[in-house]
Amino acid sequence: MFFASDNGGPVPQAVMDVLAEANNGYAPSYGADPLMDEVRSRLRDLFEAPEAAVYLVATGTSANSLALATLVQPFDTVFCTPCAHIHEDECNAPEFYTGGAKLTLVEGGDRMTPDALRAAIEGEGNRGVHGPQRGALSVTQVTERGNLYDPDDLRALCDLAKGYDLPVHLDGARLANALIALGATPAEMTWKAGIDVAVFGGTKNGLMGAEAVMIFDPARAWEFELRRKRGGHLFSKHRYLSAQMAAYLRNDLWRDLARAANGNAAYLRERMAEAAGLRLVNDAAANIVFFEAPASLHRHLQRSGAVYHVSGDPKGGQDAPLTGRLVCDWSLPRDEIDRFAALLPGM
Amino acid sequence: MFFASDNGGPVPQAVMDVLAEANNGYAPSYGADPLMDEVRSRLRDLFEAPEAAVYLVATGTSANSLALATLVQPFDTVFCTPCAHIHEDECNAPEFYTGGAKLTLVEGGDRMTPDALRAAIEGEGNRGVHGPQRGALSVTQVTERGNLYDPDDLRALCDLAKGYDLPVHLDGARLANALIALGATPAEMTWKAGIDVAVFGGTKNGLMGAEAVMIFDPARAWEFELRRKRGGHLFSKHRYLSAQMAAYLRNDLWRDLARAANGNAAYLRERMAEAAGLRLVNDAAANIVFFEAPASLHRHLQRSGAVYHVSGDPKGGQDAPLTGRLVCDWSLPRDEIDRFAALLPGM
Amino acid sequence: MFFASDNGGPVPQAVMDVLAEANNGYAPSYGADPLMDEVRSRLRDLFEAPEAAVYLVATGTSANSLALATLVQPFDTVFCTPCAHIHEDECNAPEFYTGGAKLTLVEGGDRMTPDALRAAIEGEGNRGVHGPQRGALSVTQVTERGNLYDPDDLRALCDLAKGYDLPVHLDGARLANALIALGATPAEMTWKAGIDVAVFGGTKNGLMGAEAVMIFDPARAWEFELRRKRGGHLFSKHRYLSAQMAAYLRNDLWRDLARAANGNAAYLRERMAEAAGLRLVNDAAANIVFFEAPASLHRHLQRSGAVYHVSGDPKGGQDAPLTGRLVCDWSLPRDEIDRFAALLPGM
Amino acid sequence: MFFASDNGGPVPQAVMDVLAEANNGYAPSYGADPLMDEVRSRLRDLFEAPEAAVYLVATGTSANSLALATLVQPFDTVFCTPCAHIHEDECNAPEFYTGGAKLTLVEGGDRMTPDALRAAIEGEGNRGVHGPQRGALSVTQVTERGNLYDPDDLRALCDLAKGYDLPVHLDGARLANALIALGATPAEMTWKAGIDVAVFGGTKNGLMGAEAVMIFDPARAWEFELRRKRGGHLFSKHRYLSAQMAAYLRNDLWRDLARAANGNAAYLRERMAEAAGLRLVNDAAANIVFFEAPASLHRHLQRSGAVYHVSGDPKGGQDAPLTGRLVCDWSLPRDEIDRFAALLPGM
């Protein structure tokens, strides 16, 4: 009963197959391999962005940090939510890669509203040379708390940012899950909404470690390439990154994987709705379920073999409500979900 | 006839097999996977260093830069040769990761001598607060020009560095090739000689992208972990790095691969020795052959399908001697070497 | 009627006199001048810290940033209030000097409470290698909003920080004003309370540009020196910094200046208390007065020649309360205060 | 007999007088003071550059580093000589301010030739994304070894740099001495020769600590301002920097001071030419004299009270030639020179 993250599961056989296909004879290194040509072409088609610069890196942290470093100056600030991965879970990587830019936390929790963003932007950047300059907006889709922005939401945020001349970065570690959940096209969810650089994650959706960075304005591409190399993120045997992403794109594998993960979460949510003694927190249709339950129930579930994260004040006593996070990946067996559900009160 | 680099070839089937073995069910992320336990244990045994901290990253540049950042302060300088990969081929990654440390180039070319190192150290670090401080020594084994340090050579350099309280980093992108060429043990070539942090490369010797960083003083380990994460080099699905390195270590695969690569180079050198009109530059027993030949011969070889790098002044005319670099990897077919040799004058 | 800041006034003649005294013949450079010996000795006596390392720089931003860079690592975070100068008014200098450390904002406004600090510390540093590490606490005395910590308050914060092994930095741009206001000794307000590095500001209290950095643990001194030089903050003709600080310390000039400034603010507050239509916000006895008044009153005052900053939502209309900040320096003539008071309603 | 540096002497009374003039009442802070208006206007006139952005900082290291950071990217390299102050004497400040750019040392010693520069540029920047990119040229006038570039020399270097699209920085810590020595105008020596950013030093030529940064392309100005603030180099009580520079510029004081310093060096050189047992190394007409003499003579001179730096191998024995550096500042009394000369053999 593994719900700890979508980075714990295996990769589908199709990925292994393209790795094997790639593993043949000599290939040009550093991204000049033919599979990267395929990836580039497929991603440009998928995003309806024939001019976009397309790069692969192996981790989400590097994808985000390199993207931000290409968008902002060291004396700038990046607007993001207090829950953003770039703020909470990257050990200051954005500050490192940008040369010391700041992150300004937009109030209001996990899902940014235009009003909160406007207030944050107005609150920064009005002290002339004394304060950090307004640098970029960073939004996350699916959000860290499992919520979604539909394309109109994103456009509203981007429009606001553009009104201040701010470029926009999309942390799309789970972009595939969002696209499936919302039925939107990659273009609608990115450049058509005003996104300048989007990370199209593969790692959390079935790859070993491969993230595509879509830079919709190719004028920024060369700087990205230099920063990627300088960060040690340019792979010499690049074909093994390309192979993963090629497999992901061929036959819409990414859609199948995201659909499976979202479907698992929907099924889990459905089963949990029948149970007593807990409260579902988010209703988004992606692959993460947050629920509130007493500490005692969490303890029971975890002792029975359910692996997932709990947050909240652990000193609150037996009945204090704590929040559990259940992440479903594409490979999660339905009977594991059933086993989990069977542990819940009233089932 | 691919001699451009040892990063262009495929990975052996044994690596694919362990990847497939690893690709099964859920595994703890971020390096807590069981295969990493195996890797850690095998590397500690191999290096006779039961206390060493062991980490994996996917690129040589990140391995070197993170190691150096753990060893020096931003106001320090790192002593290396003018040919060092950290100076020439990492797009300022060491400067980036160290927060702005300098590299001081030790005169005398590709293979550092103690006298030259002493002169360089004496030349820096004598200006008090005004100049950079003496930070660390970085040596490369096999060197960039295909030369070797035997363990006594390394010990002489390390002893000298230690006399100035400088820690020593070993860029071992081709350490396996050196160990085979010299018949030395990993311990003799690293900590017994005075190396503090060694990179044991896998990528150039048959892996997709995996380098082990051996930190012999575990007091430096936690800082390395934080810097690795901050650099975006901590893999969530770490098992796929672990699997590569586990395969490398099981059954001494790394030795077989390095022996094959070195053997290919020895065979190539042997065949070239029979030819006229060229001069073999280095005689080291690793996997790189440098040779001088007239521009016209290089052109002939390359037009005939030999892929390799040439350096020197291209404006020197038809007969100007240029230097070619031929790198042999483990997978190079002998008949490709024969085809190459057959193109040489007098063959 | 200049109340905009305490960085707009002249320096007292005593400072000019010591500058003239210093301006005589040759003197050793880079801090080896005899006046610096005097400064070092006087500051060690004043702070009852015979072992402290003592340095001068010319700006508060450099003093704070260099101090923080000496206390934390780039993967750490510094706890401070949302109003802190290091967060709001230094254009990312702390991020720059620390190599990319983060600032974690302690909730609750301008004056930090132990509970809020504990919550902030607990909220960070519990994500292992993924989040920033707990690095240091930074407190400001006098705070940005004109409030004070008495020595017991400071000790409570420092004790809490020390419970997490965090060193503490004191931004003391207006420390002199606080010492006078509270009648505490420099030792009580710094190392006896648990401060590790204190900035003893001179610039806002009558010097041209000179801040003393008191490092109570001399083991950190050499690193500070190197970082100061690397930041371009080591003055070659250091005697002119020394002279300012020597003048400041001789005959307790710093006390006279702070007493004058605080006295001006007390007189101003007293006069304002007689007026109608405004509300005094802070009651601290240092040199800054915050008051709320309708936008129309601020406009009246500023049009009549009062120079000061106003904050709040300017779109709130005629009667919306806005906050004015009146800073009194040592040189402020009492009749300017009287002129200002005479402009207030009911006077 | 103080010849150690031109940073050991006093400032002329005229500077003290303008400081006193400036020290009157309230003045706008952060560079908005009226004296800065005067400085800006005078420097634009002096350099015949009505559009130039003009800034003051207090140290040469900050002036150089901020200028370079404005000109290059972190993945670039700066071409300079091995003797350059930015390389030898700034404790990695350029690497710090640029975010990790490299310095590439142009061979051939203290005074750069176009051929050596071309070779250095060609040697870097031909490895695509793998090596540092060609960033900027930095030249020093007067050089560290007391040599000069005439305007044609500078133009040749700048033309070459411009052929590679490289901007050019001039470290002019002693630019005043060069202008007097060569009889060139500031414009001829800077933008007319192709310099993009010039530091016009005041500190080594009689000021307490003030350097003007002339940015001839105002499009770079705002970034410089932000980097200056972020570096902690923006003075709140800026008028005291302005006052120094205003005094420097009024009545051509800077010319008088440089003429005095150069004249002292000329007189010293003249007297030394009469002596036996030493060799004058440089013949440039600025304010630094290098001479070779046996170790025994240096010891004699220093024991007799001459203060200056000696370089060379101190283990060479009594008669080994060592190089002495004698720097003359504006305030050096002629009878001190006579005293020194009288100590020389054959006098």
Side-chain angles (χ1 to χ4, degrees):
Chain A
M1 293 184 292
F2 186 91
F3 302 98
S5 177
D6 34 14
N7 63 29
V11 310
Q13 186 57 38
V15 174
M16 300 303 282
D17 291 346
V18 185
L19 278 176
E21 171 194 327
N23 192 40
N24 189 18
Y26 291 100
S29 48
Y30 298 117
D33 53 294
L35 276 168
M36 187 59 202
D37 292 338
E38 178 186 335
V39 164
R40 206 177 286 111
S41 170
R42 284 185 183 275
L43 281 169
R44 285 174 173 164
D45 286 352
L46 179 62
F47 282 82
E48 304 168 47
E51 308 284 318
V54 180
Y55 300 107
L56 300 182
V57 293
T59 67
T61 294
S62 62
N64 288 331
S65 295
L66 289 166
L68 290 171
T70 306
L71 293 178
V72 307
Q73 289 273 33
F75 37 75
D76 287 345
T77 193
V78 174
F79 297 91
C80 65
T81 73
C83 305
H85 199 269
I86 60 169
H87 175 60
E88 287 222 305
D89 293 302
E90 301 189 349
C91 195
N92 297 356
E95 288 87 347
F96 176 41
Y97 276 88
T98 59
K102 195 185 279 289
L103 305 186
T104 295
L105 306 183
V106 177
E107 292 195 359
D110 168 60
R111 203 172 161 290
M112 198 184 286
T113 64
D115 281 351
L117 175 59
R118 183 183 296 107
I121 296 175
E122 285 292 324
E124 288 285 6
N126 51 16
R127 290 186 296 280
V129 83
H130 300 283
Q133 305 300 297
R134 297 158 179 165
L137 167 63
S138 175
V139 289
T140 308
Q141 172 81 309
V142 180
T143 73
E144 295 294 319
R145 297 293 176 270
N147 294 308
L148 291 164
Y149 298 97
D150 68 31
D152 286 344
D153 298 332
L154 277 187
R155 192 174 313 107
L157 293 171
C158 292
D159 283 352
L160 207 152
K162 294 301 163 65
Y164 293 94
D165 281 328
L166 304 186
V168 187
H169 159 252
L170 179 75
D171 176 351
R174 295 187 181 95
L175 182 54
N177 303 88
L179 292 170
I180 293 300
L182 294 166
T185 68
E188 287 165 354
M189 202 71 102
T190 58
W191 65 268
K192 286 186 178 172
I195 304 292
D196 294 278
V197 178
V199 177
F200 181 54
T203 312
K204 287 187 190 301
N205 193 32
L207 301 187
M208 290 178 172
E211 310 279 305
V213 182
M214 305 294 304
I215 305 181
F216 297 110
D217 174 3
R220 301 185 196 268
W222 179 234
E223 179 175 342
F224 184 92
E225 288 197 45
L226 290 163
R227 291 187 179 273
R228 178 176 61 165
K229 171 64 195 175
R230 188 175 76 119
H233 290 290
L234 175 59
F235 276 48
S236 57
K237 294 183 175 173
H238 190 280
R239 62 170 133 176
Y240 301 104
L241 281 184
S242 307
Q244 294 179 56
M245 190 54 66
Y248 197 58
L249 297 168
R250 289 183 190 171
N251 308 310
D252 278 351
L253 175 63
W254 68 272
R255 290 190 198 272
D256 294 342
L257 296 170
R259 199 172 287 120
N262 290 6
N264 286 335
Y267 180 68
L268 172 63
R269 187 178 288 109
E270 195 179 297
R271 297 300 314 272
M272 292 176 78
E274 304 162 19
L278 57 83
R279 191 175 72 79
L280 291 169
V281 173
N282 69 329
D283 59 0
N287 68 322
I288 313 181
V289 177
F290 281 86
F291 71 107
E292 263 184 24
S296 54
L297 176 55
H298 288 296
R299 197 158 39 244
H300 169 63
L301 292 168
Q302 293 184 323
R303 283 184 182 162
S304 306
V307 181
Y308 65 94
H309 291 289
V310 173
S311 60
D313 186 354
K315 297 173 196 139
Q318 280 286 90
D319 300 326
L322 298 178
T323 302
R325 186 189 77 153
L326 305 171
V327 188
C328 300
D329 83 339
W330 68 277
S331 75
L332 189 66
R334 285 283 163 112
D335 57 4
E336 293 283 286
I337 299 177
D338 291 333
R339 277 182 59 208
F340 179 82
L343 295 167
L344 297 173
M347 301 291 281
Chain B
M1 293 185 293
F2 187 90
F3 301 98
S5 177
D6 33 14
N7 64 28
V11 310
Q13 186 56 38
V15 174
M16 301 302 282
D17 292 345
V18 185
L19 279 176
E21 171 195 327
N23 192 40
N24 190 17
Y26 291 101
S29 49
Y30 298 116
D33 52 296
L35 277 168
M36 186 60 201
D37 292 337
E38 178 186 334
V39 164
R40 205 177 285 113
S41 170
R42 285 185 183 275
L43 281 170
R44 285 173 173 164
D45 287 352
L46 179 63
F47 282 82
E48 304 168 47
E51 308 284 319
V54 180
Y55 299 107
L56 299 182
V57 292
T59 67
T61 294
S62 64
N64 288 332
S65 295
L66 289 166
L68 290 171
T70 306
L71 293 177
V72 307
Q73 290 271 34
F75 37 74
D76 288 344
T77 194
V78 174
F79 297 93
C80 66
T81 72
C83 306
H85 199 269
I86 59 170
H87 175 59
E88 287 222 305
D89 293 303
E90 301 188 349
C91 194
N92 298 355
E95 288 87 348
F96 176 41
Y97 275 87
T98 59
K102 195 186 279 287
L103 305 186
T104 295
L105 306 183
V106 177
E107 293 195 357
D110 167 61
R111 203 171 160 289
M112 199 184 285
T113 65
D115 282 352
L117 175 59
R118 183 184 296 108
I121 296 175
E122 286 292 325
E124 288 284 7
N126 51 16
R127 289 186 297 279
V129 82
H130 300 282
Q133 306 298 297
R134 296 158 178 163
L137 168 62
S138 175
V139 288
T140 308
Q141 172 80 310
V142 181
T143 71
E144 295 295 319
R145 298 293 176 271
N147 294 308
L148 292 164
Y149 298 98
D150 69 31
D152 286 345
D153 298 331
L154 276 187
R155 192 174 313 106
L157 293 171
C158 292
D159 283 354
L160 207 152
K162 295 301 164 65
Y164 292 95
D165 282 329
L166 304 186
V168 187
H169 158 254
L170 180 73
D171 176 351
R174 295 188 181 95
L175 183 53
N177 303 88
L179 292 170
I180 294 300
L182 294 167
T185 69
E188 287 166 353
M189 202 70 101
T190 57
W191 65 268
K192 286 186 177 172
I195 302 293
D196 294 278
V197 178
V199 177
F200 181 54
T203 313
K204 288 187 191 299
N205 193 33
L207 301 186
M208 290 177 173
E211 310 278 307
V213 181
M214 304 294 305
I215 304 182
F216 297 109
D217 174 3
R220 303 185 194 269
W222 179 234
E223 179 175 342
F224 184 91
E225 289 197 44
L226 290 162
R227 290 187 179 274
R228 179 177 57 164
K229 171 64 195 175
R230 188 176 76 120
H233 291 290
L234 175 59
F235 276 48
S236 57
K237 294 184 174 171
H238 190 280
R239 60 171 132 175
Y240 301 104
L241 281 184
S242 306
Q244 295 179 55
M245 189 55 66
Y248 197 57
L249 297 168
R250 288 183 190 171
N251 307 309
D252 278 352
L253 175 63
W254 68 272
R255 289 190 198 274
D256 295 342
L257 296 170
R259 199 172 288 120
N262 289 6
N264 285 336
Y267 180 68
L268 171 62
R269 187 179 287 109
E270 196 178 297
R271 297 301 314 273
M272 292 176 78
E274 302 162 20
L278 57 81
R279 191 175 72 79
L280 291 169
V281 172
N282 69 330
D283 59 0
N287 67 320
I288 314 181
V289 177
F290 281 86
F291 72 107
E292 263 183 24
S296 53
L297 177 54
H298 288 297
R299 197 158 40 244
H300 169 62
L301 292 168
Q302 294 184 324
R303 284 182 182 165
S304 307
V307 181
Y308 66 94
H309 291 290
V310 173
S311 60
D313 186 353
K315 298 174 197 137
Q318 280 285 90
D319 300 325
L322 298 177
T323 301
R325 186 188 78 153
L326 305 171
V327 188
C328 300
D329 83 338
W330 69 277
S331 75
L332 188 66
R334 285 283 162 112
D335 55 5
E336 294 283 286
I337 299 177
D338 290 333
R339 275 182 60 208
F340 179 82
L343 295 167
L344 298 173
M347 301 292 282
Chain C
M1 292 184 292
F2 187 90
F3 302 99
S5 177
D6 33 13
N7 63 28
V11 310
Q13 186 56 39
V15 174
M16 301 303 282
D17 291 346
V18 185
L19 277 176
E21 171 195 326
N23 191 41
N24 189 17
Y26 291 101
S29 49
Y30 298 116
D33 53 294
L35 275 168
M36 185 61 201
D37 292 338
E38 178 186 334
V39 164
R40 205 177 285 113
S41 169
R42 284 184 183 275
L43 280 170
R44 285 172 174 166
D45 287 352
L46 179 62
F47 281 82
E48 305 168 48
E51 308 284 317
V54 180
Y55 300 106
L56 300 182
V57 291
T59 67
T61 293
S62 63
N64 288 333
S65 295
L66 289 166
L68 290 171
T70 306
L71 293 177
V72 307
Q73 290 272 33
F75 37 74
D76 287 344
T77 193
V78 174
F79 297 92
C80 66
T81 73
C83 306
H85 199 269
I86 59 170
H87 175 60
E88 288 222 305
D89 294 302
E90 301 188 350
C91 194
N92 298 357
E95 288 86 349
F96 176 42
Y97 276 88
T98 60
K102 195 184 280 287
L103 306 186
T104 295
L105 306 183
V106 178
E107 293 194 357
D110 167 62
R111 202 172 162 288
M112 198 184 286
T113 64
D115 281 351
L117 175 59
R118 183 184 296 108
I121 296 176
E122 286 292 325
E124 288 284 7
N126 51 15
R127 289 186 298 278
V129 82
H130 300 283
Q133 305 299 297
R134 296 157 178 164
L137 167 64
S138 176
V139 289
T140 308
Q141 173 81 308
V142 181
T143 72
E144 295 295 319
R145 297 294 176 270
N147 295 308
L148 291 164
Y149 298 97
D150 69 30
D152 287 344
D153 298 331
L154 276 187
R155 193 176 312 108
L157 293 171
C158 292
D159 283 354
L160 206 152
K162 294 301 162 66
Y164 292 94
D165 281 328
L166 303 186
V168 187
H169 159 253
L170 181 73
D171 176 351
R174 294 187 182 96
L175 182 54
N177 303 88
L179 292 170
I180 293 300
L182 294 167
T185 69
E188 288 165 353
M189 202 70 101
T190 57
W191 65 268
K192 287 185 177 173
I195 303 292
D196 295 276
V197 178
V199 177
F200 181 54
T203 312
K204 287 187 189 302
N205 193 32
L207 301 187
M208 291 177 172
E211 309 279 306
V213 181
M214 305 294 304
I215 304 181
F216 296 110
D217 174 2
R220 302 186 195 268
W222 179 234
E223 180 175 341
F224 184 91
E225 290 198 44
L226 290 163
R227 291 186 180 274
R228 178 177 59 165
K229 171 64 196 177
R230 187 175 76 119
H233 290 290
L234 175 59
F235 276 48
S236 57
K237 294 183 174 173
H238 190 281
R239 62 170 132 175
Y240 301 104
L241 281 185
S242 307
Q244 294 179 56
M245 189 54 66
Y248 198 57
L249 297 168
R250 289 182 191 172
N251 308 309
D252 278 351
L253 175 64
W254 68 273
R255 289 189 198 274
D256 294 343
L257 296 170
R259 199 172 288 120
N262 290 5
N264 285 335
Y267 180 69
L268 172 63
R269 187 179 288 110
E270 195 178 297
R271 298 301 313 275
M272 292 175 78
E274 302 162 19
L278 57 84
R279 191 176 73 79
L280 290 170
V281 174
N282 69 331
D283 59 0
N287 68 321
I288 314 182
V289 177
F290 282 86
F291 72 107
E292 263 183 24
S296 54
L297 177 54
H298 288 298
R299 196 157 41 244
H300 169 62
L301 292 168
Q302 293 184 324
R303 283 184 181 163
S304 307
V307 181
Y308 66 94
H309 291 289
V310 174
S311 60
D313 185 355
K315 298 173 196 140
Q318 280 285 89
D319 300 326
L322 298 178
T323 302
R325 185 188 79 153
L326 305 171
V327 188
C328 301
D329 84 338
W330 69 276
S331 76
L332 189 65
R334 286 283 162 111
D335 56 4
E336 294 282 287
I337 299 177
D338 290 333
R339 275 183 59 210
F340 178 83
L343 295 167
L344 297 172
M347 302 291 282
Chain D
M1 292 184 292
F2 187 91
F3 302 99
S5 177
D6 33 14
N7 63 28
V11 309
Q13 187 56 39
V15 174
M16 301 302 282
D17 291 347
V18 185
L19 278 176
E21 170 195 327
N23 191 42
N24 189 19
Y26 292 101
S29 48
Y30 298 116
D33 52 296
L35 276 168
M36 187 60 202
D37 292 337
E38 177 186 336
V39 163
R40 205 176 286 113
S41 169
R42 286 185 182 276
L43 281 170
R44 285 173 173 165
D45 287 352
L46 179 61
F47 281 82
E48 304 168 48
E51 307 284 317
V54 180
Y55 300 107
L56 299 182
V57 291
T59 67
T61 294
S62 62
N64 288 332
S65 296
L66 289 167
L68 290 171
T70 306
L71 294 177
V72 307
Q73 290 273 33
F75 38 74
D76 286 345
T77 193
V78 174
F79 297 92
C80 66
T81 73
C83 305
H85 199 268
I86 59 170
H87 175 61
E88 288 222 304
D89 293 301
E90 302 189 350
C91 195
N92 298 356
E95 287 88 348
F96 176 41
Y97 275 88
T98 59
K102 196 185 279 289
L103 306 186
T104 295
L105 306 182
V106 177
E107 292 195 359
D110 167 61
R111 202 170 162 290
M112 197 184 287
T113 65
D115 282 351
L117 175 59
R118 184 183 296 108
I121 296 175
E122 286 291 325
E124 289 284 7
N126 50 17
R127 289 186 297 281
V129 83
H130 300 282
Q133 306 299 297
R134 296 158 179 164
L137 167 64
S138 175
V139 289
T140 308
Q141 171 83 306
V142 181
T143 73
E144 294 295 320
R145 298 293 176 268
N147 294 308
L148 292 164
Y149 299 98
D150 68 31
D152 287 344
D153 298 332
L154 276 186
R155 193 175 312 108
L157 293 171
C158 292
D159 283 353
L160 207 152
K162 294 302 163 65
Y164 292 94
D165 281 328
L166 304 186
V168 187
H169 158 253
L170 180 74
D171 176 351
R174 295 187 182 96
L175 182 55
N177 303 90
L179 292 170
I180 294 299
L182 294 167
T185 68
E188 288 165 353
M189 202 71 101
T190 58
W191 65 269
K192 286 186 178 174
I195 303 292
D196 295 277
V197 178
V199 177
F200 181 54
T203 313
K204 288 187 189 301
N205 193 32
L207 300 186
M208 290 177 172
E211 310 278 305
V213 181
M214 305 294 304
I215 304 181
F216 296 110
D217 173 3
R220 303 184 194 268
W222 179 233
E223 180 175 343
F224 184 92
E225 288 197 46
L226 290 163
R227 291 187 178 274
R228 178 175 62 164
K229 171 63 196 178
R230 187 176 76 122
H233 290 290
L234 174 60
F235 276 48
S236 57
K237 294 184 174 172
H238 189 280
R239 61 169 131 176
Y240 301 105
L241 281 185
S242 307
Q244 294 179 56
M245 189 55 67
Y248 197 57
L249 297 168
R250 289 182 190 171
N251 308 309
D252 278 351
L253 175 63
W254 67 273
R255 290 190 198 273
D256 294 344
L257 296 170
R259 199 172 287 120
N262 289 5
N264 285 335
Y267 181 68
L268 172 63
R269 187 179 288 110
E270 195 180 298
R271 296 301 314 272
M272 291 176 78
E274 303 162 19
L278 58 82
R279 190 175 73 79
L280 291 169
V281 173
N282 69 330
D283 58 0
N287 68 321
I288 314 181
V289 177
F290 282 86
F291 71 107
E292 263 184 24
S296 54
L297 177 54
H298 288 297
R299 197 158 40 246
H300 169 62
L301 292 169
Q302 293 184 323
R303 283 183 182 163
S304 305
V307 180
Y308 65 94
H309 291 291
V310 173
S311 60
D313 185 354
K315 296 173 195 138
Q318 280 285 90
D319 299 326
L322 297 177
T323 301
R325 186 188 78 154
L326 305 171
V327 188
C328 300
D329 84 337
W330 69 276
S331 75
L332 188 66
R334 285 284 162 111
D335 56 4
E336 293 283 287
I337 298 177
D338 291 333
R339 274 181 61 208
F340 178 82
L343 293 166
L344 297 172
M347 301 292 281

